[in-house]
Amino acid sequence: MASFSHPWGPGYPLTHSHTPPYTHSHPHPHPHPQPPSSAKTFTRSSPSLALKCLALLFISPLASSLAYQPVTYATTALLGTRLYVIGGQTDIAVPTSYTAQIATISLTNSFDGDTPPWDFMGNTFATARAPGVSGRDQRRIFLGGNVNNPSHSPAMAFDSNTRQWAQAPDLPGGASVMQNYTRIASGVALDSSNGVLVQFGGTNATGPTNELSLLDTGKPSGIMFWTFNGPLHNMPGLYAPIVVYLPNPRMTLIMGGCDQLDAQGSPTHCMGFDTLYTLSSETVTSTVPTARQINATAMANSDGTSGTLPPPRVMACAVVLMDGNVLMLGGGNPKSPLADAWILNVQNWTWFQRAIGDIPEQGIMGHGCELTRREQILVIGGHHGDTFANRPISVIRMQDWRWVNKYEVPGVSVGVKIGLTLSVVVVVGAIIAGLLIRRQRIGKTQNSVNVKLKPSGSSPQAHHNSHGRRGGRARRDRNSSSRQASTLDNAERGQFPQPSSGGQPNRSSRSTADDYQVPMTPTRHRSFSPDGSASTVVESSPMPPAYTVNPVPPQS
């Protein structure tokens, strides 16, 4: 097979340099390595709970012990609230030092860019310099080109749910096109209006190419198909062009890249940013796509002087901002990385330089950029000279356009969330425990009451005596109530017990003063004038506990 030196150094083969950890006997290889023959397997008869516990004890520490490998030229993409970093080059001086690492991180919590809390997934092949983009379904990531891809597939799709890779079908033209097919460092973008993956440029066995490939990703990975593959005749061949999709005005933008390489494969001439190309959403669904050329200019300075255009570069990163404009960051050549940032206004196609404070690097290239929903741009990986970037993830805070080392999520921090969760669990547990204890105490009390109310003897006579005692008490209560009612009636009619000669109530009768105690309720009694000629009925407040007898009315 023909080989072609890598653009960043001599001896970079376009064919894969080592055997990946899986074969292609099955069209959809499983992403996880199979256990060796000596590994023990468990059947359904094994205790499932015990196996889960063992998995937590042994697998979790193993997963957490994995260390992140610093990379450059990795594939980066966002799916929902997770960042994915796939593959990359682990040795800047060795172009074929591919890694199979797939690192992912949640963007729902704050983290430090120096020590991101990575999660790791198993991978099936190592790759680098394969541009990627997230799918419209927010489930798949598409990689363009076929760096170190033994099947020479022109694109791959990674399913984040099943963690499996699927190969794109062969390009139109069959075996004659796919034989020894090679494509490295192309640019890709997804037209979100129709789900078409746009892949342009890169290098093949002869050098930079203007090949355009359009893949319909609206179908499941197994039945995706290419709608077009061929050259864009009005465009030059470009190595590592910048390709991004602009939602408004619904077009794919192609810019930058290098059109000439030397014999060792290093760029000798890269495109300026005064000439741009666009592919409308309508043309990528037509039978013969056509690119439109646009002449960009520099925005004038605030003092009225002419502005400048971005200098030519390669391996920069670009993101579409929330206002629809494009931010381009870094790039350069292998010996002279750049640290500047530029914004392209897509309404009038003018460039202006965006100052960003506190940049941590002398320059950066081979990095990835992703715009989050919180007005923060993540800068992942990359290198400057022979050194990897200072931290795995740097953050550009767009509120004040500064480089910072921490990704911030407004609201409660992770530690506070954990503390609050534990507090709620403790409080709920205490409440439940208190209710259970109270229930047990009530049950014991009811049992004690039932024991006390139970007759002392089991003989009929004992039961009869108990009922007799309760019956006598009830009769006394009724007699007392009857006497009190009679007293009230007598008081209302003016009939009172006659006092004895000593002026005291007559206690010789059967009734006593206690029998005339009136309940503490409003009562009525008759009041006479001093001469006894007239009387009135007066309603009084409750009587005091001591009994008082009204004077005896004179006899008529």
Side-chain angles (χ1 to χ4, degrees):
M1 181 181 298
S3 62
F4 184 78
S5 296
H6 185 266
W8 287 150
Y12 180 89
L14 293 183
T15 59
H16 56 90
S17 60
H18 67 277
T19 303
Y22 77 100
T23 60
H24 288 268
S25 60
H26 192 279
H28 303 288
H30 195 279
H32 303 288
Q34 298 297 322
S37 58
S38 59
K40 294 183 179 180
T41 58
F42 296 90
T43 62
R44 291 185 179 180
S45 60
S46 303
S48 58
L49 181 59
L51 291 180
K52 291 178 180 179
C53 294
L54 289 174
L56 291 175
L57 288 174
F58 293 101
I59 297 178
S60 297
L62 178 62
S64 61
S65 64
L66 294 176
Y68 176 80
Q69 291 180 294
V71 291
T72 187
Y73 304 125
T75 301
T76 64
L78 289 180
L79 290 181
T81 58
R82 295 198 73 87
L83 168 69
Y84 288 80
V85 182
I86 301 175
Q89 188 174 316
T90 58
D91 190 334
I92 301 170
V94 181
T96 56
S97 58
Y98 313 121
T99 177
Q101 171 179 266
I102 295 183
T104 178
I105 188 172
S106 172
L107 302 181
T108 57
N109 299 315
S110 302
F111 61 82
D112 194 311
D114 292 312
T115 56
W118 296 107
D119 295 322
F120 297 95
M121 295 183 178
N123 197 358
T124 55
F125 72 99
T127 187
R129 303 176 189 261
V133 64
S134 56
R136 192 166 56 167
D137 56 8
Q138 287 297 295
R139 172 176 172 171
R140 293 175 294 177
I141 298 174
F142 298 96
L143 273 65
N146 59 1
V147 177
N148 198 47
N149 184 347
S151 67
H152 303 286
S153 174
M156 298 285 288
F158 175 73
D159 190 318
S160 61
N161 287 2
T162 63
R163 303 186 180 185
Q164 291 184 346
W165 289 93
Q167 300 176 15
D170 291 345
L171 292 168
S176 60
V177 175
M178 295 304 302
Q179 185 177 8
N180 298 330
Y181 181 79
T182 300
R183 197 169 187 178
I184 296 174
S186 59
V188 298
L190 185 81
D191 190 323
S192 58
S193 67
N194 49 39
V196 173
L197 179 71
V198 179
Q199 182 174 195
F200 175 78
T203 58
N204 54 26
T206 61
T209 177
N210 62 352
E211 181 181 2
L212 174 68
S213 305
L214 303 176
L215 178 67
D216 185 355
T217 66
K219 305 290 191 299
S221 299
I223 57 176
M224 296 185 301
F225 62 94
W226 298 96
T227 60
F228 178 83
N229 184 72
L232 276 177
H233 298 291
N234 60 335
M235 288 190 62
L238 295 175
Y239 166 79
I242 296 174
V243 182
V244 294
Y245 175 72
L246 308 176
N248 185 18
R250 295 180 62 220
M251 61 178 60
T252 300
L253 173 66
I254 303 173
M255 61 183 180
C258 300
D259 61 345
Q260 296 179 18
L261 306 174
D262 60 18
Q264 287 73 36
S266 297
T268 58
H269 181 267
C270 295
M271 304 296 292
F273 290 94
D274 56 344
T275 302
L276 316 174
Y277 301 89
T278 61
L279 293 167
S280 67
S281 296
E282 289 75 20
T283 196
V284 298
T285 56
S286 64
T287 56
V288 183
T290 303
R292 174 192 171 201
Q293 181 175 324
I294 296 176
N295 295 322
T297 59
M299 182 180 294
N301 297 323
S302 58
D303 58 1
T305 60
S306 299
T308 59
L309 290 168
R313 67 194 65 204
V314 69
M315 292 298 178
C317 75
V319 294
V320 179
L321 304 177
M322 289 174 287
D323 59 5
N325 295 331
V326 179
L327 172 72
M328 180 177 65
L329 176 69
N333 60 60
K335 301 300 181 183
S336 302
L338 300 171
D340 55 355
W342 298 79
I343 291 181
L344 173 65
N345 187 321
V346 300
Q347 301 302 320
N348 54 20
W349 304 108
T350 57
W351 287 98
F352 68 93
Q353 189 168 2
R354 172 76 263 182
I356 304 178
D358 299 333
I359 182 169
E361 317 287 352
Q362 298 90 350
I364 189 169
M365 60 185 302
H367 53 298
C369 295
E370 299 295 337
L371 175 67
T372 72
R373 301 174 183 175
R374 306 185 186 279
E375 296 189 352
Q376 298 174 89
I377 299 173
L378 305 179
V379 182
I380 306 103
H383 69 280
H384 50 83
D386 298 329
T387 306
F388 284 108
N390 293 336
R391 58 177 66 105
I393 298 179
S394 293
V395 180
I396 297 177
R397 191 172 56 204
M398 298 175 61
Q399 291 89 338
D400 54 359
W401 287 101
R402 305 195 73 83
W403 289 78
V404 295
N405 67 340
K406 189 170 185 179
Y407 173 76
E408 295 284 356
V409 176
V412 183
S413 65
V414 179
V416 174
K417 288 180 181 179
I418 295 175
L420 290 175
T421 303
L422 293 176
S423 299
V424 170
V425 171
V426 171
V427 171
V428 172
I431 292 174
I432 294 175
L435 292 176
L436 292 175
I437 293 174
R438 184 173 180 273
R439 184 175 180 181
Q440 292 177 353
R441 289 180 178 177
I442 291 174
K444 292 180 180 179
T445 303
Q446 291 178 345
N447 293 336
S448 177
V449 171
N450 292 336
V451 171
K452 291 181 180 179
L453 293 179
K454 184 177 180 181
S456 58
S458 60
S459 64
Q461 182 63 32
H463 187 66
H464 174 74
N465 292 340
S466 175
H467 278 284
R469 287 192 295 272
R470 289 197 297 270
R473 188 182 304 111
R475 285 193 297 273
R476 287 194 296 274
D477 293 341
R478 288 197 298 271
N479 292 338
S480 175
S481 299
S482 177
R483 287 194 295 273
Q484 292 176 1
S486 175
T487 302
L488 289 175
D489 294 339
N490 292 337
E492 187 175 292
R493 292 194 297 267
Q495 299 176 1
F496 300 94
Q498 299 296 325
S500 62
S501 58
Q504 300 295 327
N506 186 4
R507 298 179 181 273
S508 60
S509 62
R510 186 173 180 269
S511 298
T512 63
D514 293 337
D515 295 328
Y516 297 102
Q517 294 291 336
V518 181
M520 298 295 287
T521 56
T523 60
R524 290 181 295 171
H525 64 275
R526 190 176 298 277
S527 176
F528 295 91
S529 61
D531 58 358
S533 61
S535 64
T536 58
V537 177
V538 179
E539 183 172 337
S540 66
S541 59
M543 295 178 63
Y547 177 75
T548 303
V549 180
N550 289 332
V552 178
Q555 298 294 328
S556 58

